[in-house]
Amino acid sequence: MKLNHMALVRLSALGDIVNATIVLQFIRQEYPNIKIDWICEEVFAPLLTEHPLINQVHTINLKKIKKEKSFSQLANTVKKLKNLPKYDLIIDMQGLVKSAVVSRIIGKNIHGYDKKSAREALSSLFYSSTSNIPYELSVIKRNVALVSDALNLHVSDEMVDNKLPTLPAYKKLSFVQDVYAVFVIGASWASKIYPKEKVVDICNGLPCKSYIVWGSAQEKTDAQFIADNSQNAQLTPKLDLKELCALISHASLVIGNDTGPTHMAWAYNVPSITLFGPTNERMIYPTDSNIAIHSDSKVNISHIDKNDYSIKNIDPNMVINRAKELLQ
């Protein structure tokens, strides 16, 4: 396939975009001179703007349009998308109707998931070609398989295991120690959040400083509680996306809930422990140094129970023991 310029559409969310960046290095290995553009929600653009393998990041703000119900903003967004370059290929990595519509406005040669494997089956109607990749498969394997099928690439598990970091490199932050852990205490649902009291126990059991990252006001309150109750824990300042990348990329270990910042650890080849309750390890790519610890819940990925708070049953000592092994 002759390709000069292509676009990847992955609008959101943070963890999904992080897990999608794995495909960039494999595309460039096969097509070293290709220009790759990325279309995403405006809030996530800083994660990608300095990526050495991305030609240009184009942003939209569908959340704002939906909130304000602004026809003029919608019209301007459609106009902006129509004025993007004429791509040789567009790959919708999200598989939602909204991402499929965005892809279709941009161009006609679109590859995506078929109706049996897309998150929203109707999205497949907008594509010119599709791939059947089981939804239950690891998100990272799905991303690689979709792009590999679209571009006729051969990407083995060994290649994924030996990947280069998938996000841009940043300098170490000035306030951190030489050896440190990062604890990600937030998540999109309350039932995915490990109790702050047990985070204190884990921080107290680690042989190094733990920096507690936070985003919302409630997370800052919880982070302060942890820092106040553990001499090993320290509240970070408010971090933007690039600073968060810098903090995680230089860490010795990342521990956290099933959420975007935790997934950054795998992207940077940093050891990690992801804690699971109502979800499973579909969102991660387990390795010897990137492990999952989950509750005893039986998770059906097609019917997630957001009222499953079993994450609170995970024993802090189990986390401490695995953390010490990874820190060695």
CSV table of all heavy atoms in Angstrom, one decimal, residues 209-267:
chain,number,residue,atom,x,y,z
A,209,LYS,N,10.0,7.1,48.8
A,209,LYS,CA,9.0,8.1,48.8
A,209,LYS,C,8.0,7.8,47.7
A,209,LYS,O,8.2,7.3,46.6
A,209,LYS,CB,9.7,9.5,48.5
A,209,LYS,CG,8.7,10.6,48.3
A,209,LYS,CD,8.2,11.1,49.7
A,209,LYS,CE,9.3,11.9,50.4
A,209,LYS,NZ,8.8,12.4,51.8
A,210,SER,N,6.7,8.0,48.1
A,210,SER,CA,5.6,7.9,47.1
A,210,SER,C,5.0,9.3,46.9
A,210,SER,O,4.6,10.0,47.8
A,210,SER,CB,4.5,7.0,47.7
A,210,SER,OG,4.9,5.7,47.8
A,211,TYR,N,4.9,9.7,45.6
A,211,TYR,CA,4.3,11.0,45.3
A,211,TYR,C,2.8,10.7,44.9
A,211,TYR,O,2.6,9.8,44.0
A,211,TYR,CB,5.1,11.6,44.1
A,211,TYR,CG,6.4,12.1,44.6
A,211,TYR,CD1,7.6,11.3,44.2
A,211,TYR,CD2,6.6,13.2,45.3
A,211,TYR,CE1,8.8,11.7,44.6
A,211,TYR,CE2,7.9,13.6,45.7
A,211,TYR,CZ,9.0,12.9,45.4
A,211,TYR,OH,10.2,13.2,45.8
A,212,ILE,N,1.9,11.4,45.5
A,212,ILE,CA,0.5,11.1,45.3
A,212,ILE,C,0.0,12.1,44.3
A,212,ILE,O,0.0,13.4,44.6
A,212,ILE,CB,-0.3,11.2,46.6
A,212,ILE,CG1,0.4,10.5,47.8
A,212,ILE,CG2,-1.7,10.7,46.4
A,212,ILE,CD1,0.6,9.0,47.5
A,213,VAL,N,-0.5,11.7,43.1
A,213,VAL,CA,-1.0,12.6,42.1
A,213,VAL,C,-2.5,12.7,42.2
A,213,VAL,O,-3.2,11.8,42.7
A,213,VAL,CB,-0.6,12.1,40.7
A,213,VAL,CG1,0.9,12.1,40.5
A,213,VAL,CG2,-1.2,10.7,40.4
A,214,TRP,N,-3.0,13.9,41.8
A,214,TRP,CA,-4.4,14.2,42.0
A,214,TRP,C,-4.8,15.1,40.8
A,214,TRP,O,-4.0,15.8,40.2
A,214,TRP,CB,-4.7,14.8,43.3
A,214,TRP,CG,-3.8,16.1,43.5
A,214,TRP,CD1,-2.6,16.1,44.0
A,214,TRP,CD2,-4.2,17.4,43.2
A,214,TRP,NE1,-2.1,17.4,44.1
A,214,TRP,CE2,-3.1,18.2,43.6
A,214,TRP,CE3,-5.4,18.0,42.7
A,214,TRP,CZ2,-3.1,19.6,43.4
A,214,TRP,CZ3,-5.4,19.4,42.6
A,214,TRP,CH2,-4.3,20.2,42.9
A,215,GLY,N,-6.1,15.1,40.6
A,215,GLY,CA,-6.7,16.0,39.5
A,215,GLY,C,-7.8,16.8,40.1
A,215,GLY,O,-7.8,18.1,40.0
A,216,SER,N,-8.8,16.2,40.6
A,216,SER,CA,-10.0,16.9,41.1
A,216,SER,C,-9.8,17.4,42.5
A,216,SER,O,-8.8,17.0,43.2
A,216,SER,CB,-11.2,16.0,41.1
A,216,SER,OG,-11.1,15.0,42.0
A,217,ALA,N,-10.7,18.3,43.0
A,217,ALA,CA,-10.7,18.8,44.4
A,217,ALA,C,-10.8,17.6,45.4
A,217,ALA,O,-10.1,17.6,46.4
A,217,ALA,CB,-11.8,19.8,44.6
A,218,GLN,N,-11.7,16.6,45.1
A,218,GLN,CA,-11.8,15.5,46.0
A,218,GLN,C,-10.5,14.7,46.1
A,218,GLN,O,-10.1,14.2,47.1
A,218,GLN,CB,-13.0,14.6,45.6
A,218,GLN,CG,-13.3,13.4,46.5
A,218,GLN,CD,-13.5,13.9,47.9
A,218,GLN,OE1,-14.4,14.6,48.2
A,218,GLN,NE2,-12.8,13.3,48.9
A,219,GLU,N,-9.9,14.5,44.9
A,219,GLU,CA,-8.7,13.7,44.9
A,219,GLU,C,-7.6,14.5,45.7
A,219,GLU,O,-6.8,13.8,46.3
A,219,GLU,CB,-8.2,13.5,43.4
A,219,GLU,CG,-9.1,12.5,42.7
A,219,GLU,CD,-8.7,12.4,41.2
A,219,GLU,OE1,-7.6,12.9,40.8
A,219,GLU,OE2,-9.5,11.9,40.4
A,220,LYS,N,-7.6,15.8,45.6
A,220,LYS,CA,-6.6,16.5,46.4
A,220,LYS,C,-6.8,16.4,47.9
A,220,LYS,O,-5.8,16.2,48.6
A,220,LYS,CB,-6.6,18.0,46.0
A,220,LYS,CG,-5.5,18.8,46.7
A,220,LYS,CD,-5.6,20.3,46.3
A,220,LYS,CE,-4.4,21.1,47.0
A,220,LYS,NZ,-4.4,22.5,46.6
A,221,THR,N,-8.1,16.4,48.3
A,221,THR,CA,-8.4,16.1,49.7
A,221,THR,C,-7.9,14.8,50.1
A,221,THR,O,-7.3,14.6,51.2
A,221,THR,CB,-9.9,16.3,49.9
A,221,THR,OG1,-10.3,17.6,49.6
A,221,THR,CG2,-10.3,16.0,51.4
A,222,ASP,N,-8.2,13.8,49.3
A,222,ASP,CA,-7.7,12.4,49.6
A,222,ASP,C,-6.2,12.3,49.6
A,222,ASP,O,-5.6,11.6,50.5
A,222,ASP,CB,-8.3,11.4,48.6
A,222,ASP,CG,-9.8,11.3,48.7
A,222,ASP,OD1,-10.4,11.7,49.8
A,222,ASP,OD2,-10.5,10.7,47.8
A,223,ALA,N,-5.6,12.9,48.7
A,223,ALA,CA,-4.1,12.9,48.6
A,223,ALA,C,-3.5,13.6,49.8
A,223,ALA,O,-2.5,13.1,50.4
A,223,ALA,CB,-3.6,13.6,47.3
A,224,GLN,N,-4.1,14.7,50.3
A,224,GLN,CA,-3.6,15.3,51.5
A,224,GLN,C,-3.8,14.4,52.7
A,224,GLN,O,-2.9,14.4,53.6
A,224,GLN,CB,-4.4,16.6,51.7
A,224,GLN,CG,-3.8,17.5,52.8
A,224,GLN,CD,-2.4,18.0,52.5
A,224,GLN,OE1,-2.1,18.7,51.5
A,224,GLN,NE2,-1.4,17.6,53.3
A,225,PHE,N,-4.9,13.7,52.8
A,225,PHE,CA,-5.1,12.8,53.9
A,225,PHE,C,-4.0,11.7,53.9
A,225,PHE,O,-3.4,11.4,55.0
A,225,PHE,CB,-6.4,12.1,53.7
A,225,PHE,CG,-6.7,10.9,54.7
A,225,PHE,CD1,-7.2,11.2,55.9
A,225,PHE,CD2,-6.3,9.6,54.3
A,225,PHE,CE1,-7.4,10.1,56.8
A,225,PHE,CE2,-6.5,8.6,55.2
A,225,PHE,CZ,-7.1,8.8,56.5
A,226,ILE,N,-3.6,11.2,52.7
A,226,ILE,CA,-2.6,10.2,52.6
A,226,ILE,C,-1.2,10.8,53.1
A,226,ILE,O,-0.5,10.2,53.8
A,226,ILE,CB,-2.5,9.6,51.2
A,226,ILE,CG1,-3.8,8.9,50.8
A,226,ILE,CG2,-1.3,8.7,51.0
A,226,ILE,CD1,-4.0,8.7,49.4
A,227,ALA,N,-0.9,12.0,52.6
A,227,ALA,CA,0.3,12.6,52.9
A,227,ALA,C,0.4,12.9,54.4
A,227,ALA,O,1.5,12.8,55.0
A,227,ALA,CB,0.5,13.9,52.1
A,228,ASP,N,-0.7,13.3,55.0
A,228,ASP,CA,-0.7,13.6,56.4
A,228,ASP,C,-0.6,12.4,57.3
A,228,ASP,O,-0.2,12.5,58.5
A,228,ASP,CB,-2.1,14.3,56.8
A,228,ASP,CG,-2.2,15.7,56.3
A,228,ASP,OD1,-1.1,16.3,55.9
A,228,ASP,OD2,-3.3,16.2,56.2
A,229,ASN,N,-0.9,11.2,56.8
A,229,ASN,CA,-0.8,10.0,57.6
A,229,ASN,C,0.3,9.1,57.2
A,229,ASN,O,0.4,7.9,57.7
A,229,ASN,CB,-2.2,9.3,57.5
A,229,ASN,CG,-3.3,10.0,58.2
A,229,ASN,OD1,-3.4,9.8,59.4
A,229,ASN,ND2,-4.0,10.8,57.5
A,230,SER,N,1.2,9.5,56.3
A,230,SER,CA,2.3,8.6,56.0
A,230,SER,C,3.5,9.5,55.7
A,230,SER,O,3.5,10.4,54.9
A,230,SER,CB,2.0,7.8,54.7
A,230,SER,OG,3.2,7.1,54.3
A,231,GLN,N,4.6,9.3,56.5
A,231,GLN,CA,5.9,10.0,56.3
A,231,GLN,C,6.5,9.7,54.9
A,231,GLN,O,7.3,10.5,54.4
A,231,GLN,CB,6.9,9.7,57.4
A,231,GLN,CG,6.4,10.2,58.8
A,231,GLN,CD,7.5,10.0,59.8
A,231,GLN,OE1,8.4,9.2,59.6
A,231,GLN,NE2,7.3,10.6,61.0
A,232,ASN,N,6.1,8.6,54.3
A,232,ASN,CA,6.6,8.2,53.0
A,232,ASN,C,5.9,8.9,51.8
A,232,ASN,O,6.3,8.7,50.7
A,232,ASN,CB,6.6,6.7,52.8
A,232,ASN,CG,7.8,6.0,53.4
A,232,ASN,OD1,8.7,6.6,53.8
A,232,ASN,ND2,7.7,4.7,53.4
A,233,ALA,N,4.8,9.5,52.1
A,233,ALA,CA,3.9,10.0,51.0
A,233,ALA,C,4.0,11.5,50.9
A,233,ALA,O,4.1,12.2,52.0
A,233,ALA,CB,2.5,9.6,51.3
A,234,GLN,N,4.0,12.0,49.7
A,234,GLN,CA,4.1,13.5,49.5
A,234,GLN,C,3.1,13.9,48.4
A,234,GLN,O,3.0,13.2,47.4
A,234,GLN,CB,5.5,13.9,49.1
A,234,GLN,CG,5.6,15.4,48.8
A,234,GLN,CD,7.1,15.8,48.5
A,234,GLN,OE1,8.0,15.2,49.1
A,234,GLN,NE2,7.2,16.7,47.6
A,235,LEU,N,2.3,14.9,48.7
A,235,LEU,CA,1.4,15.4,47.7
A,235,LEU,C,2.1,16.1,46.6
A,235,LEU,O,3.0,16.9,46.9
A,235,LEU,CB,0.4,16.4,48.5
A,235,LEU,CG,-0.7,17.1,47.7
A,235,LEU,CD1,-1.8,16.1,47.6
A,235,LEU,CD2,-1.2,18.3,48.5
A,236,THR,N,1.8,15.9,45.4
A,236,THR,CA,2.4,16.6,44.3
A,236,THR,C,1.7,17.9,44.1
A,236,THR,O,0.5,18.1,44.5
A,236,THR,CB,2.3,15.9,42.9
A,236,THR,OG1,0.9,15.8,42.5
A,236,THR,CG2,2.9,14.5,43.1
A,237,PRO,N,2.3,18.9,43.5
A,237,PRO,CA,1.6,20.1,43.1
A,237,PRO,C,0.6,19.7,41.9
A,237,PRO,O,0.6,18.6,41.4
A,237,PRO,CB,2.7,21.0,42.5
A,237,PRO,CG,3.8,20.1,42.2
A,237,PRO,CD,3.7,19.0,43.1
A,238,LYS,N,-0.3,20.6,41.6
A,238,LYS,CA,-1.1,20.4,40.4
A,238,LYS,C,-0.3,20.2,39.2
A,238,LYS,O,0.6,21.1,38.9
A,238,LYS,CB,-2.1,21.6,40.3
A,238,LYS,CG,-3.0,21.5,39.1
A,238,LYS,CD,-4.1,20.4,39.3
A,238,LYS,CE,-5.2,20.5,38.2
A,238,LYS,NZ,-6.3,19.5,38.4
A,239,LEU,N,-0.4,19.1,38.5
A,239,LEU,CA,0.4,18.8,37.3
A,239,LEU,C,-0.4,18.9,36.0
A,239,LEU,O,-1.6,18.4,36.0
A,239,LEU,CB,1.0,17.4,37.4
A,239,LEU,CG,1.8,17.1,38.7
A,239,LEU,CD1,2.3,15.6,38.7
A,239,LEU,CD2,3.1,18.0,38.7
A,240,ASP,N,0.2,19.5,35.0
A,240,ASP,CA,-0.5,19.4,33.7
A,240,ASP,C,-0.1,18.0,33.0
A,240,ASP,O,0.7,17.3,33.6
A,240,ASP,CB,-0.1,20.6,32.8
A,240,ASP,CG,1.4,20.7,32.5
A,240,ASP,OD1,2.1,19.7,32.5
A,240,ASP,OD2,1.8,21.9,32.2
A,241,LEU,N,-0.6,17.8,31.9
A,241,LEU,CA,-0.3,16.4,31.3
A,241,LEU,C,1.2,16.2,31.0
A,241,LEU,O,1.7,15.1,31.2
A,241,LEU,CB,-1.1,16.3,29.9
A,241,LEU,CG,-2.5,15.8,30.0
A,241,LEU,CD1,-3.2,15.7,28.7
A,241,LEU,CD2,-2.6,14.4,30.7
A,242,LYS,N,1.9,17.2,30.6
A,242,LYS,CA,3.3,17.0,30.3
A,242,LYS,C,4.1,16.8,31.6
A,242,LYS,O,5.0,15.9,31.6
A,242,LYS,CB,3.8,18.2,29.5
A,242,LYS,CG,3.3,18.3,28.1
A,242,LYS,CD,3.8,19.6,27.4
A,242,LYS,CE,3.2,19.7,26.0
A,242,LYS,NZ,3.7,20.9,25.3
A,243,GLU,N,3.7,17.5,32.6
A,243,GLU,CA,4.4,17.3,33.9
A,243,GLU,C,4.1,15.9,34.5
A,243,GLU,O,4.9,15.2,35.1
A,243,GLU,CB,4.0,18.4,34.9
A,243,GLU,CG,4.5,19.7,34.5
A,243,GLU,CD,3.9,20.9,35.3
A,243,GLU,OE1,2.7,20.7,35.7
A,243,GLU,OE2,4.5,21.9,35.5
A,244,LEU,N,2.8,15.5,34.3
A,244,LEU,CA,2.5,14.1,34.7
A,244,LEU,C,3.3,13.1,34.0
A,244,LEU,O,3.8,12.1,34.6
A,244,LEU,CB,1.0,13.9,34.5
A,244,LEU,CG,0.4,12.5,34.9
A,244,LEU,CD1,0.5,12.3,36.3
A,244,LEU,CD2,-1.1,12.4,34.4
A,245,CYS,N,3.5,13.3,32.7
A,245,CYS,CA,4.3,12.3,31.9
A,245,CYS,C,5.7,12.3,32.4
A,245,CYS,O,6.4,11.3,32.6
A,245,CYS,CB,4.3,12.8,30.4
A,245,CYS,SG,2.8,12.4,29.5
A,246,ALA,N,6.3,13.5,32.8
A,246,ALA,CA,7.6,13.6,33.3
A,246,ALA,C,7.7,12.9,34.6
A,246,ALA,O,8.7,12.1,34.9
A,246,ALA,CB,8.0,15.1,33.5
A,247,LEU,N,6.7,13.0,35.5
A,247,LEU,CA,6.8,12.4,36.8
A,247,LEU,C,6.8,10.9,36.7
A,247,LEU,O,7.6,10.1,37.3
A,247,LEU,CB,5.6,12.8,37.6
A,247,LEU,CG,5.5,12.2,39.0
A,247,LEU,CD1,6.5,12.8,40.0
A,247,LEU,CD2,4.1,12.5,39.6
A,248,ILE,N,5.9,10.4,35.8
A,248,ILE,CA,5.7,8.9,35.7
A,248,ILE,C,6.9,8.3,34.9
A,248,ILE,O,7.4,7.2,35.2
A,248,ILE,CB,4.4,8.6,35.0
A,248,ILE,CG1,3.2,8.9,36.0
A,248,ILE,CG2,4.3,7.2,34.5
A,248,ILE,CD1,1.8,8.8,35.4
A,249,SER,N,7.4,9.0,33.9
A,249,SER,CA,8.4,8.4,33.1
A,249,SER,C,9.7,8.2,33.8
A,249,SER,O,10.6,7.4,33.4
A,249,SER,CB,8.7,9.3,31.8
A,249,SER,OG,9.2,10.6,32.2
A,250,HIS,N,10.0,9.0,34.9
A,250,HIS,CA,11.2,8.8,35.7
A,250,HIS,C,11.0,8.1,37.0
A,250,HIS,O,12.0,7.9,37.8
A,250,HIS,CB,11.8,10.2,36.0
A,250,HIS,CG,12.3,10.9,34.7
A,250,HIS,ND1,13.5,10.6,34.2
A,250,HIS,CD2,11.8,11.8,33.9
A,250,HIS,CE1,13.7,11.4,33.1
A,250,HIS,NE2,12.6,12.1,32.9
A,251,ALA,N,9.8,7.5,37.2
A,251,ALA,CA,9.5,6.8,38.4
A,251,ALA,C,10.2,5.4,38.4
A,251,ALA,O,10.5,4.9,37.4
A,251,ALA,CB,8.0,6.7,38.6
A,252,SER,N,10.4,4.9,39.6
A,252,SER,CA,10.9,3.5,39.8
A,252,SER,C,9.7,2.6,39.8
A,252,SER,O,9.8,1.4,39.5
A,252,SER,CB,11.7,3.4,41.1
A,252,SER,OG,12.8,4.3,41.1
A,253,LEU,N,8.5,3.1,40.2
A,253,LEU,CA,7.3,2.2,40.2
A,253,LEU,C,6.1,3.1,40.2
A,253,LEU,O,6.1,4.2,40.8
A,253,LEU,CB,7.3,1.4,41.5
A,253,LEU,CG,6.1,0.6,41.9
A,253,LEU,CD1,5.9,-0.6,40.9
A,253,LEU,CD2,6.1,0.0,43.3
A,254,VAL,N,5.0,2.7,39.6
A,254,VAL,CA,3.7,3.3,39.6
A,254,VAL,C,2.7,2.4,40.1
A,254,VAL,O,2.6,1.2,39.7
A,254,VAL,CB,3.3,3.8,38.2
A,254,VAL,CG1,1.9,4.4,38.2
A,254,VAL,CG2,4.3,4.9,37.7
A,255,ILE,N,1.9,2.8,41.1
A,255,ILE,CA,0.8,2.0,41.6
A,255,ILE,C,-0.5,2.8,41.4
A,255,ILE,O,-0.5,4.0,41.7
A,255,ILE,CB,1.0,1.7,43.1
A,255,ILE,CG1,2.3,1.0,43.4
A,255,ILE,CG2,-0.2,0.8,43.6
A,255,ILE,CD1,2.6,0.8,44.9
A,256,GLY,N,-1.5,2.2,41.0
A,256,GLY,CA,-2.8,3.0,40.8
A,256,GLY,C,-4.0,2.2,40.4
A,256,GLY,O,-3.9,1.0,40.1
A,257,ASN,N,-5.1,2.9,40.3
A,257,ASN,CA,-6.3,2.3,39.9
A,257,ASN,C,-6.3,2.2,38.4
A,257,ASN,O,-5.4,2.6,37.7
A,257,ASN,CB,-7.5,3.2,40.3
A,257,ASN,CG,-7.4,3.5,41.8
A,257,ASN,OD1,-7.3,2.6,42.6
A,257,ASN,ND2,-7.5,4.8,42.2
A,258,ASP,N,-7.4,1.5,37.9
A,258,ASP,CA,-7.5,1.3,36.4
A,258,ASP,C,-7.9,2.7,35.8
A,258,ASP,O,-9.1,3.0,35.6
A,258,ASP,CB,-8.6,0.3,36.2
A,258,ASP,CG,-8.9,0.1,34.7
A,258,ASP,OD1,-8.0,0.5,33.9
A,258,ASP,OD2,-9.9,-0.6,34.4
A,259,THR,N,-6.9,3.5,35.5
A,259,THR,CA,-7.1,4.8,34.9
A,259,THR,C,-5.9,5.3,34.1
A,259,THR,O,-4.8,4.7,34.2
A,259,THR,CB,-7.4,5.8,36.1
A,259,THR,OG1,-7.9,7.1,35.6
A,259,THR,CG2,-6.2,6.0,37.0
A,260,GLY,N,-6.1,6.3,33.3
A,260,GLY,CA,-5.1,6.8,32.4
A,260,GLY,C,-3.7,7.0,32.9
A,260,GLY,O,-2.7,6.4,32.3
A,261,PRO,N,-3.5,7.8,34.0
A,261,PRO,CA,-2.2,8.0,34.4
A,261,PRO,C,-1.4,6.7,34.8
A,261,PRO,O,-0.2,6.6,34.7
A,261,PRO,CB,-2.4,8.9,35.7
A,261,PRO,CG,-3.6,9.6,35.3
A,261,PRO,CD,-4.5,8.6,34.6
A,262,THR,N,-2.2,5.7,35.4
A,262,THR,CA,-1.5,4.4,35.7
A,262,THR,C,-1.1,3.7,34.4
A,262,THR,O,0.0,3.1,34.4
A,262,THR,CB,-2.5,3.5,36.5
A,262,THR,OG1,-3.1,4.2,37.5
A,262,THR,CG2,-1.8,2.3,37.0
A,263,HIS,N,-1.9,3.8,33.4
A,263,HIS,CA,-1.5,3.2,32.1
A,263,HIS,C,-0.3,3.8,31.5
A,263,HIS,O,0.4,3.2,30.6
A,263,HIS,CB,-2.7,3.2,31.1
A,263,HIS,CG,-3.9,2.5,31.7
A,263,HIS,ND1,-3.9,1.4,32.4
A,263,HIS,CD2,-5.2,2.9,31.6
A,263,HIS,CE1,-5.1,1.0,32.8
A,263,HIS,NE2,-5.9,1.9,32.3
A,264,MET,N,0.0,5.0,31.8
A,264,MET,CA,1.2,5.7,31.3
A,264,MET,C,2.5,4.9,31.7
A,264,MET,O,3.5,5.0,31.0
A,264,MET,CB,1.3,7.1,31.8
A,264,MET,CG,0.4,8.1,31.2
A,264,MET,SD,0.7,9.7,31.9
A,264,MET,CE,-0.5,10.7,31.1
A,265,ALA,N,2.5,4.2,32.8
A,265,ALA,CA,3.7,3.5,33.2
A,265,ALA,C,4.1,2.5,32.2
A,265,ALA,O,5.3,2.4,31.8
A,265,ALA,CB,3.4,2.8,34.6
A,266,TRP,N,3.2,1.7,31.7
A,266,TRP,CA,3.5,0.7,30.7
A,266,TRP,C,4.0,1.4,29.4
A,266,TRP,O,5.0,1.0,28.8
A,266,TRP,CB,2.3,-0.1,30.3
A,266,TRP,CG,2.6,-1.1,29.2
A,266,TRP,CD1,3.2,-2.3,29.3
A,266,TRP,CD2,2.3,-0.9,27.8
A,266,TRP,NE1,3.3,-2.9,28.1
A,266,TRP,CE2,2.7,-2.1,27.1
A,266,TRP,CE3,1.7,0.1,27.1
A,266,TRP,CZ2,2.6,-2.3,25.8
A,266,TRP,CZ3,1.5,-0.1,25.7
A,266,TRP,CH2,2.0,-1.2,25.1
A,267,ALA,N,3.4,2.6,29.1
A,267,ALA,CA,3.8,3.3,27.9
A,267,ALA,C,5.3,3.7,28.0
A,267,ALA,O,6.0,3.8,27.0
A,267,ALA,CB,2.9,4.5,27.7
